[in-house]
Amino acid sequence: MIMNATDTERRSPAATPAPAPKSAPTAAVRQADGMAVASFVLGLIGLLAMNLLLGPASIVLAALALRRGTSRPGRARLGLALGVADLVVLACLVSADQTWSWSIG
């Protein structure tokens, strides 16, 4: 029996494969999500303390999370922005009173 295009179009819907259900996130995506959250937290803490260390760490984690395809790109971008802000605050501190840390008073 020879089948042509009209025969394949007449098949019942049950003969067509059902779409695959959405699977759980893979380990790589979960790891990238963790990096995005860690980047945000480190960037936020870095605004208050240890901005010399936490700013670059936040930038690196955000870049890795975005490169690995996180499902939370907004949080990774915010972590990236906070990491850059940490370095800007550090530059302002150094230029204002030639110190690498906060000084009150």
Side-chain angles (χ1 to χ4, degrees):
M1 175 177 193
I2 299 174
M3 292 177 55
N4 57 21
T6 57
D7 289 335
T8 57
E9 291 173 0
R10 291 182 195 155
R11 288 185 182 179
S12 67
T16 60
K22 203 172 199 179
S23 62
T26 63
V29 172
R30 278 184 284 159
Q31 187 179 19
D33 290 347
M35 287 181 185
V37 172
S39 171
F40 171 72
V41 171
L42 290 178
L44 196 59
I45 294 171
L47 286 174
L48 301 174
M50 296 176 25
N51 44 5
L52 179 63
L53 299 173
L54 297 180
S58 176
I59 292 171
V60 168
L61 284 173
L64 286 173
L66 288 171
R67 182 176 295 265
R68 292 184 182 185
T70 181
S71 62
R72 299 177 175 180
R75 185 144 315 150
R77 287 187 195 107
L78 188 57
L80 183 66
L82 285 171
V84 170
D86 291 348
L87 296 179
V88 169
V89 166
L90 178 65
C92 291
L93 285 174
V94 169
S95 67
D97 57 359
Q98 287 74 34
T99 184
W100 292 94
S101 64
W102 292 94
S103 63
I104 299 175

